[in-house]
């Protein structure tokens, strides 16, 4: 029965850096009815490959299918189902300058970040932490009336 | 050598050894057609609809095992080809389809006859390419053929913007392909194979479950040897008809929704399923929780994603059936074949109890009789294609297929209109064979324009229309499951089939008796012309046995019993 329990999972997909490769990956998720919780993609330094990190959820059976179906795509080089990983997500948040800047600064510092930009009316803060902690940060930030929060999506690396 | 992109396309087709290309010209592909006009390396057949071009290339590929090639223009030319791509994709047929595209600088501007071909075809091709530059064109063409035929085969689309077909550049066709991200697995894991063989030796009621992958892998002889050596009984899927040959005493028949009693009972009672190139399609398994309930499962498939997709597998083997069976055979030396005798006897008894049968009639032609009759009259010399519906199932049940690639049908996608153009492709590949499209009065109209193609190029295929004045399979479901409300399935209004065929340069036959049937077949073969053979059959004949959709395989609706002289295999 363990195989049928839905769980949050993170996979890394290493792909040839060619046009429409991202479309192939996302179309596969859409076409076969798999969920995407978050997705990040960037080129791998000094190579012709890109690294796609996808946070998704599904049972072990579904995950096995996702992995195998991804493997079948011609430009996919490798699929890593993360088990022991370090995962981080970055968030940018914009607050009115009227809020207590030192409090916001302290909050951000607690989540591996700080204030990165101060303008006439707004300040922008950045934090980078585990996805679960990012959730807590967003909850905690609510009392400072954020006008905009942008999440970056998960990146992960196997330990 | 310096040449245009259009010339490169032709040179690549010639280099790949393709003898026949099916297609339809148009604005964006015109430069390529201009080169086709000038070359002599391959023949081009002008179908009268792009869908038919792709099906014809598909039929050619299925009959030969080689890559089929079709060519279409951009926009509607391509969208018409999509059903053909999807049909080939679902049955893993190696095709390269070349489509024109608007010039590079017009892409994305909603130009005339522009459509996002790679976007549309992504889910129904094995891979596709939008060619970005002339420099990459030779490599892309080489990779397209390689990807189409290697691993689990499939259709590949190459979309070429018009300006690239005009540009002139250096052409060197690569000798080899190196795609670091694409390395199909052919050899199965030796340990797993060993374990699987042990399981075969210790099973009491093993069953060979043979799928279309055996045909694609050209492994029929090896699989026949495997069956012979182990004396393990076998069932075939719709796509595998002909692998073991109808006369093989170990073959129980076809399993699944319209499988015979013995096959479906074998699958329900076996203790070891040996699946070779089959993918546990829902039309085969019926209710999954009841499917092969008491069995361990060996699953040999070149596509890892097929393994464990629907059923849990005990012995997964990723690899080419040919390689895996080759590795299995020596390890099976000295297998105790008597071990399975009791099991074989049980299955033989099942077949006696409920053989594949139908009630024949002297008043009206039974569709099953017509198919059996073709088998008697032409047999091994025939290549049978089919459309989709009752006639397809009757053909699969009743035709005595002797060899692989003798039976060509759209099993996965179930594409009506497939049979006639596919027959053209098969006939181009094997002009000496009698190619018969077993079709219905519904399906045949979906690509009937091919009468003109067949007449023009003198491709004499026989269209055997089993005419029940119904969309028969839907009608059958309406009878069983919709209280006989025949919603939009009554085809009482019909064309004059004979006149229709004649108007397009073919011959027509109207057949209502068995004598007329024999005479028409004889005449059609002698005339050597494309024909429509309109055979009026029993209107309310059902395809039986039938496992109602979603039901367990052992719960079959069975045909009426008949006393027939026992056939000896």
């Amino acid at each position: 029965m363990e195989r049928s329990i839905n769980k949050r999972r993170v996979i890394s997909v290493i792909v040839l850096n060619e046009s429409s490769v991202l479309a192939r990956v996302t179309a596969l998720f859409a076409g076969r009815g798999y969920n995407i919780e978050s997705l990040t993609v960037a080129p791998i330094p000094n190579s012709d490959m890109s690294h796609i990190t996808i946070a998704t959820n599904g049972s072990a059976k579904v995950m096995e299918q996702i992995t195998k179906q991804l493997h079948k795509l011609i430009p996919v080089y490798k699929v890593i189902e993360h088990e022991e990983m370090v995962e981080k997500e970055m968030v940018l948040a914009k607050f009115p300058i009227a809020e207590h800047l030192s409090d916001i600064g302290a909050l951000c510092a607690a989540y591996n970040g700080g204030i990165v930009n101060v303008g006439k009316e707004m300040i922008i803060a950045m934090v980078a932490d585990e996805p679960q902690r990012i959730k807590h940060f967003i909850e905690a930030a609510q009392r400072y009336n954020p006008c905009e929060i942008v999440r970056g999506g998960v990146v992960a690396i196997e330990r | 050598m310096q040449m245009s992109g259009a010339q490169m396309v032709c040179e690549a087709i010639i280099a790949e050894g393709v003898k026949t290309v099916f297609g339809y010209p148009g604005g964006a592909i015109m430069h390529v057609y201009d080169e086709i006009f000038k070359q002599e390396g391959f023949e081009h057949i002008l179908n009268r609809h792009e869908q038919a071009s792709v099906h014809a290339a598909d039929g050619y590929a299925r009959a030969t095992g080689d890559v089929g090639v079709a060519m279409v223009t951009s926009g509607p030319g391509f969208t018409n080809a999509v059903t053909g791509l999807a049909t080939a994709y679902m049955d893993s047929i190696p095709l390269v389809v070349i489509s024109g595209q608007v010039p590079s600088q017009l892409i994305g501007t909603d130009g005339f006859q522009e459509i996002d071909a790679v976007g549309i075809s992504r889910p129904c091709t094995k891979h596709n390419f939008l060619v970005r530059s002339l420099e990459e064109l030779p490599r892309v063409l080489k990779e397209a053929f390689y990807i189409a035929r290697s691993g689990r085969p499939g259709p590949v689309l190459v979309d070429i913007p018009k300006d690239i077909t005009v540009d002139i550049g250096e052409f060197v066709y690569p000798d080899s392909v190196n795609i670091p991200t694409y390395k199909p697995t052919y050899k199965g894991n030796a340990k797993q194979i060993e374990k699987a063989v042990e399981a075969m030796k210790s099973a009491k009621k093993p069953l060979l479950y043979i799928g279309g992958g055996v045909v694609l892998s050209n492994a029929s002889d090896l699989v026949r040897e495997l069956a012979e050596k182990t004396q393990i009984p076998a069932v075939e899927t719709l796509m595998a008809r002909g692998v073991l040959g109808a006369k093989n005493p170990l073959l129980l028949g076809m399993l699944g929704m319209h499988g015979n009693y013995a096959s479906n009972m074998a699958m329900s009672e076996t203790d070891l399923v040996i699946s070779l190139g089959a993918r546990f399609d829902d039309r085969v398994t019926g209710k999954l929780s009841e499917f092969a309930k008491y069995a361990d499962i060996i699953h040999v498939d070149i596509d890892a994603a097929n393994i464990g997709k629907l059923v849990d597998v005990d012995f997964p083997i990723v690899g080419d059936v040919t390689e895996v069976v080759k590795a299995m055979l020596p390890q099976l030396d000295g297998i105790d074949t008597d071990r399975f005798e009791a099991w074989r006897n049980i299955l033989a008894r099942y077949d006696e109890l409920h053989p594949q049968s139908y009630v024949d009639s002297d008043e009206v032609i039974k569709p099953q009789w017509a198919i059996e009759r073709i088998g008697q009259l032409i047999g091994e010399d025939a290549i049978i294609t089919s459309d989709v519906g009752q006639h397809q199932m009757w053909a699969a049940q009743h035709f005595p297929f002797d060899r692989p690639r003798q039976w060509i049908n759209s099993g996965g996608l179930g594409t009506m209109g497939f049979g006639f153009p596919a027959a053209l492709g098969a006939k181009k590949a094997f002009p000496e064979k009698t190619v018969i499209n077993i079709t219905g009065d519904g399906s045949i109209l979906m690509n009937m324009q091919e009468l003109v193609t067949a007449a023009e190029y003198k491709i004499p295929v026989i269209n055997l229309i089993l005419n029940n004045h119904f969309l028969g399979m839907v009608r059958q479901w309406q009878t069983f499951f919709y209280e006989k409300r025949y919603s939009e399935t009554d085809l009482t209004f019909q064309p004059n089939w004979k006149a229709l065929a004649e108007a397009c340069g073919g011959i027509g036959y109207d057949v209502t008796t068995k004598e007329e049937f024999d005479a028409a077949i004889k005449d059609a073969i002698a005339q050597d012309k494309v024909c429509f053979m309109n055979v009026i059959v029993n209107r309310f004949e059902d395809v039986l046995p039938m496992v109602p959709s979603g039901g367990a395989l052992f719960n079959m609706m069975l045909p009426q019993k008949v006393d027939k002289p026992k056939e000896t295999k």
Side-chain angles (χ1 to χ4, degrees):
Chain A
M1 272 293 93
E2 218 265 314
R3 274 170 65 78
S4 59
I5 297 166
N6 274 359
K7 243 173 74 181
R8 177 180 176 277
R9 294 158 211 264
V10 179
I11 50 178
S12 285
V13 191
I14 316 297
V15 298
L16 273 182
N17 202 355
E18 60 179 35
S19 65
S20 83
V21 61
L22 184 62
R24 289 183 203 283
V25 171
T26 52
L28 189 149
F29 274 75
R32 293 191 180 259
Y34 310 139
N35 299 315
I36 295 181
E37 191 184 289
S38 85
L39 180 147
T40 63
V41 53
I44 297 173
N46 306 321
S47 83
D48 54 356
M49 303 267 180
S50 279
H51 189 129
I52 302 175
T53 315
I54 302 171
T56 177
N57 59 66
S59 63
K61 202 175 162 104
V62 167
M63 284 310 297
E64 190 183 319
Q65 265 301 302
I66 291 179
T67 312
K68 285 175 170 176
Q69 294 292 349
L70 283 169
H71 256 302
K72 267 175 78 172
L73 297 177
I74 306 290
V76 168
Y77 181 64
K78 200 155 88 175
V79 184
I80 306 158
E81 258 187 277
H82 289 297
E83 282 160 20
E84 296 281 313
M85 61 181 161
V86 173
E87 249 194 293
K88 293 284 175 192
E89 182 173 357
M90 195 193 77
V91 177
L92 293 173
K94 198 189 271 177
F95 299 95
I97 201 142
E99 295 294 331
H100 292 285
L101 297 194
S102 55
D103 288 7
I104 293 173
L107 173 67
C108 294
Y111 289 94
N112 276 324
I115 292 169
V116 291
N117 185 282
V118 181
K120 269 189 198 156
E121 290 169 5
M122 299 285 170
I123 66 153
I124 296 169
M126 182 278 293
V127 304
D129 215 325
E130 272 116 52
Q132 192 54 36
R133 294 201 11 104
I134 291 295
K135 232 177 102 190
H136 295 158
F137 166 78
I138 290 168
E139 281 164 20
Q142 292 308 315
R143 59 185 299 184
Y144 304 105
N145 304 309
C147 14
E148 200 179 343
I149 292 179
V150 180
R151 296 181 68 158
V154 172
V155 291
I157 199 162
E158 194 72 6
R159 271 196 285 180
Chain B
M1 211 181 132
Q2 293 282 311
M3 61 175 75
S4 69
Q7 236 175 320
M8 291 182 189
V9 171
C10 293
E11 289 298 325
I13 290 170
I14 294 166
E16 294 291 344
V18 178
K19 293 278 170 279
T20 312
V21 171
F22 302 86
Y24 205 105
I29 195 80
M30 274 188 75
H31 284 278
V32 180
Y33 272 87
D34 193 42
E35 291 303 328
I36 289 176
F37 187 84
K38 296 177 201 163
Q39 60 80 42
E40 285 180 338
F42 59 86
E43 184 188 11
H44 181 278
I45 304 286
L46 175 72
N47 297 93
R48 290 333 195 241
H49 190 292
E50 288 91 346
Q51 184 193 347
S53 296
V54 183
H55 288 330
D58 183 325
Y60 178 92
R62 290 183 204 235
T64 59
D66 301 333
V67 180
V69 177
M71 200 172 292
V72 300
T73 193
S74 66
F78 162 75
T79 55
N80 280 344
V82 170
T83 301
L85 286 169
T87 303
Y89 180 68
M90 289 293 280
D91 290 342
S92 310
I93 304 304
L95 289 188
V96 170
V97 175
I98 292 163
S99 57
Q101 183 54 280
V102 299
S104 306
Q105 60 278 12
L106 269 181
I107 290 178
T109 65
D110 303 319
F112 175 66
Q113 293 195 328
E114 181 188 357
I115 199 73
D116 175 10
V118 287
I120 288 176
S121 63
R122 204 170 284 132
C124 60
T125 52
K126 182 173 172 188
H127 194 54
N128 57 21
F129 297 91
L130 169 60
V131 180
R132 301 269 161 179
S133 67
L134 185 65
E135 289 69 50
E136 70 171 23
L137 182 60
R139 177 184 58 82
V140 164
L141 290 165
K142 180 79 188 178
E143 286 184 3
F145 278 93
Y146 174 73
I147 291 170
R149 69 161 75 89
S150 59
R152 178 181 182 179
V156 177
L157 176 81
V158 182
D159 197 35
I160 313 177
K162 189 172 184 178
D163 53 310
I164 292 176
T165 63
V166 183
D167 289 351
I168 290 179
E170 182 64 21
F171 178 74
V172 181
Y173 198 57
D175 291 330
S176 60
V177 171
N178 181 24
I179 312 169
T181 55
Y182 175 67
K183 306 277 179 212
T185 310
Y186 290 99
K187 282 225 178 323
N189 180 297
K191 271 262 153 54
Q192 285 293 342
I193 292 175
E194 216 173 283
K195 280 195 211 159
V197 167
E198 281 316 306
M200 284 159 80
K201 284 179 179 165
S202 57
K204 289 202 181 78
K205 299 191 268 181
L207 183 68
L208 290 167
Y209 162 39
I210 298 167
V214 175
V215 178
L216 296 168
S217 171
N218 295 317
S220 300
D221 287 343
L222 284 165
V223 171
R224 284 183 189 198
E225 199 183 328
L226 179 73
E228 176 63 25
K229 188 167 190 175
T230 58
Q231 291 294 305
I232 294 175
V235 293
E236 287 175 349
T237 68
L238 174 67
M239 299 310 292
R241 298 305 268 155
V243 165
L244 286 189
K247 292 182 204 80
N248 196 314
L250 290 163
L251 178 66
L252 299 166
M254 179 174 77
L255 86 163
M257 180 175 276
H258 294 296
N260 63 335
Y261 183 76
S263 296
N264 285 348
M265 291 311 288
M267 190 51 93
S268 302
E269 294 181 3
T270 173
D271 67 354
L272 181 70
V273 176
I274 304 148
S275 169
L276 304 174
R279 60 182 178 86
F280 299 83
D281 180 88
D282 57 281
R283 285 293 191 266
V284 161
T285 62
K287 192 177 181 182
L288 263 181
S289 57
E290 297 292 330
F291 177 78
K293 204 175 178 178
Y294 310 107
D296 282 347
I297 293 178
I298 299 171
H299 191 172
V300 181
D301 203 306
I302 197 158
D303 180 0
N306 272 346
I307 297 178
K309 179 171 69 179
L310 291 155
V311 297
D312 290 334
V313 171
D314 304 273
F315 305 95
I317 302 173
V318 181
D320 181 10
V321 177
T322 299
E323 296 296 329
V324 174
V325 175
K326 252 188 210 163
M328 279 177 170
L329 280 169
Q331 298 182 41
L332 286 160
D333 283 345
I335 187 172
D336 176 15
T337 56
D338 294 341
R339 216 184 140 74
F340 314 132
E341 200 182 334
W343 169 232
R344 287 193 299 267
N345 290 339
I346 293 171
L347 297 176
R349 177 77 190 117
Y350 280 150
D351 203 39
E352 265 168 40
L353 220 54
H354 298 287
Q356 182 74 61
S357 63
Y358 65 96
V359 184
D360 202 6
S361 160
D362 290 327
E363 272 107 59
V364 59
I365 292 181
K366 288 295 185 94
Q368 302 94 327
W369 176 88
I371 287 159
E372 280 182 358
R373 191 72 187 137
I374 295 276
Q376 289 159 5
L377 293 175
I378 309 168
E380 207 172 340
D381 215 28
I383 293 177
I384 305 292
T385 71
S386 93
D387 276 306
V388 170
Q390 286 185 313
H391 62 268
Q392 176 192 25
M393 290 300 115
W394 284 317
Q397 290 175 334
H398 294 278
F399 191 89
F401 295 103
D402 285 310
R403 57 189 163 86
R405 303 195 184 280
Q406 190 183 11
W407 166 236
I408 293 172
N409 81 127
S410 166
L413 195 69
T415 309
M416 289 170 72
F418 170 79
F420 188 8
L424 300 184
K427 184 73 180 178
K428 280 309 290 181
F430 292 102
E432 74 287 358
K433 298 275 183 203
T434 303
V435 179
I436 302 180
N437 173 32
I438 295 178
T439 179
D441 49 319
S443 286
I444 189 62
L445 289 180
M446 285 207 188
N447 263 321
M448 67 168 191
Q449 80 285 344
E450 292 311 302
L451 270 170
V452 181
T453 313
E456 181 191 350
Y457 291 94
K458 301 191 168 46
I459 313 174
V461 302
I462 298 171
N463 288 284
L464 183 71
I465 305 169
L466 298 175
N467 189 347
N468 54 12
H469 293 68
F470 265 126
L471 292 175
M473 190 56 96
V474 183
R475 192 280 308 155
Q476 177 172 336
W477 283 50
Q478 287 169 335
T479 303
F480 290 163
F481 312 120
Y482 294 85
E483 297 169 329
K484 302 189 181 176
R485 287 183 299 276
Y486 297 130
S487 177
E488 305 297 322
T489 46
D490 190 321
L491 299 183
T492 308
F493 186 88
Q494 299 233 330
N496 180 334
W497 299 97
K498 193 164 179 288
L500 179 59
E502 284 166 0
C504 299
I507 332 172
Y509 301 90
D510 288 314
V511 173
T512 50
T513 67
K514 289 178 176 177
E515 292 70 36
E516 285 171 358
F517 185 85
D518 281 10
I521 290 284
K522 222 174 171 186
D523 191 62
I525 293 171
Q527 296 267 357
D528 217 22
K529 253 180 155 178
V530 62
C531 76
F532 270 8
M533 200 172 290
N534 171 34
V535 182
I536 305 298
V537 298
N538 187 32
R539 236 195 142 195
F540 282 91
E541 194 73 18
D542 293 316
V543 181
L544 293 171
M546 180 176 185
V547 178
S549 188
L553 274 191
F554 50 80
N555 284 330
M556 281 164 272
M557 302 158 92
L558 291 164
Q560 198 186 325
K561 280 208 172 184
V562 272
D563 293 317
K564 242 174 114 181
K566 229 179 114 184
E567 276 179 52
T568 45
K569 275 190 171 174

